[in-house]
Amino acid sequence: QKEVEQDPGPLSVPEGAIVSLNCTYSNSAFQYFMWYRQYSRKGPELLMYTYSSGNKEDGRFTAQVDKSSKYISLFIRDSQPSDSATYLCAMAGTASKLTFGTGTRLQVTL
Amino acid sequence: KAGVTQTPRYLIKTRGQQVTLSCSPISGHRSVSWYQQTPGQGLQFLFEYFSETQRNKGNFPGRFSGRQFSNSRSEMNVSTLELGDSALYLCASSVQGYYEQYFGPGTRLTVT
């Protein structure tokens, strides 16, 4: 079983929809939770990071962490075609090593 | 501020050869991490360097090695290339390591 599980999708939504992306994990030592966006043939781009449990909002993006359930989410409001990309969750404990989910491919259609 | 740069962007090598990839971190960042990305395994951590010392290492064979220079630039080397080494190799930099890592565009290595 992988330490981080993420549905690979693809997830297709119409423009303007609210998108929910999720990851589950098994390692209780994870304290830092990140979301990256990766466009085709590009490196991952850091969207948001959260420490421990709670919510964090940045523009159209909201990240949620529920450590008791070992579950993290990224919500994208008012989705745009430019949001079409692969979204990767990543986690870290006390060591500077990121453990990634396999990524969810998102397609926002006109 | 300039982002993380990686050279070369594309490489084609033959089995048994060796290869060296280069990464220049964001100015002021002292930590450089390397990751391998493949369709089957996703992103996997190779190793991390901080102030010229390897601080963490992933579960890759000894054919994968790296180093960091005093200006924080880093190189990774893969010896005796295998077909399975074909991947996108990504470098990420951060100020101290840990969570806030910024990635370069990657080097796409193809082994034939």
Side-chain angles (χ1 to χ4, degrees), chain B residues 9-50:
Chain B
R9 293 292 311 277
Y10 301 92
L11 264 180
I12 300 175
K13 290 285 188 180
T14 304
R15 269 182 303 175
Q17 289 186 314
Q18 76 165 13
V19 66
T20 299
L21 312 181
S22 181
C23 171
S24 292
I26 292 171
S27 178
H29 286 193
R30 296 167 64 190
S31 168
V32 173
S33 297
W34 289 89
Y35 294 83
Q36 181 195 65
Q37 187 174 32
T38 59
Q41 298 296 319
L43 267 153
Q44 294 185 285
F45 174 77
L46 280 156
F47 31 67
E48 184 231 358
Y49 285 86
F50 182 82

Side-chain angles (χ1 to χ4, degrees), chain A residues 32 36 38 44 49 94 96, chain B residues 37 48 56 98-99 101 103:
Chain A
Y32 299 95
Y36 283 84
Q38 187 173 25
Y49 64 87
T94 55
S96 48
Chain B
Q37 187 174 32
E48 184 231 358
N56 287 291
Y98 304 108
Y99 51 92
Q101 298 188 18
F103 283 81

Side-chain angles (χ1 to χ4, degrees), chain B:
Chain B
K1 191 184 269 191
V4 178
T5 58
Q6 292 187 246
T7 56
R9 293 292 311 277
Y10 301 92
L11 264 180
I12 300 175
K13 290 285 188 180
T14 304
R15 269 182 303 175
Q17 289 186 314
Q18 76 165 13
V19 66
T20 299
L21 312 181
S22 181
C23 171
S24 292
I26 292 171
S27 178
H29 286 193
R30 296 167 64 190
S31 168
V32 173
S33 297
W34 289 89
Y35 294 83
Q36 181 195 65
Q37 187 174 32
T38 59
Q41 298 296 319
L43 267 153
Q44 294 185 285
F45 174 77
L46 280 156
F47 31 67
E48 184 231 358
Y49 285 86
F50 182 82
S51 293
E52 301 180 66
T53 301
Q54 188 181 85
R55 191 160 65 171
N56 287 291
K57 189 176 188 306
N59 297 321
F60 278 81
R63 300 185 297 107
F64 292 82
S65 63
R67 60 178 176 168
Q68 186 180 34
F69 302 95
S70 58
N71 61 358
S72 294
R73 191 178 70 85
S74 178
E75 289 181 347
M76 68 163 280
N77 183 275
V78 188
S79 62
T80 319
L81 284 165
E82 300 177 359
L83 294 178
D85 296 333
S86 294
L88 181 67
Y89 289 88
L90 291 156
C91 158
S93 78
S94 65
V95 175
Q96 295 275 0
Y98 304 108
Y99 51 92
E100 200 170 350
Q101 298 188 18
Y102 295 89
F103 283 81
T107 294
R108 185 162 297 279
L109 172 65
T110 302
V111 182
T112 62

Side-chain angles (χ1 to χ4, degrees), chain A residues 13-20 37 58-62 74-84 87 106 108-110:
Chain A
V13 301
E15 183 180 9
I18 295 175
V19 176
S20 172
R37 175 174 65 193
D58 184 2
R60 296 186 295 115
F61 298 90
T62 299
L74 177 71
F75 297 95
I76 307 174
R77 290 183 298 281
D78 188 25
S79 56
Q80 303 295 311
S82 59
D83 294 327
S84 298
Y87 289 80
L106 171 67
V108 180
T109 58
L110 291 168

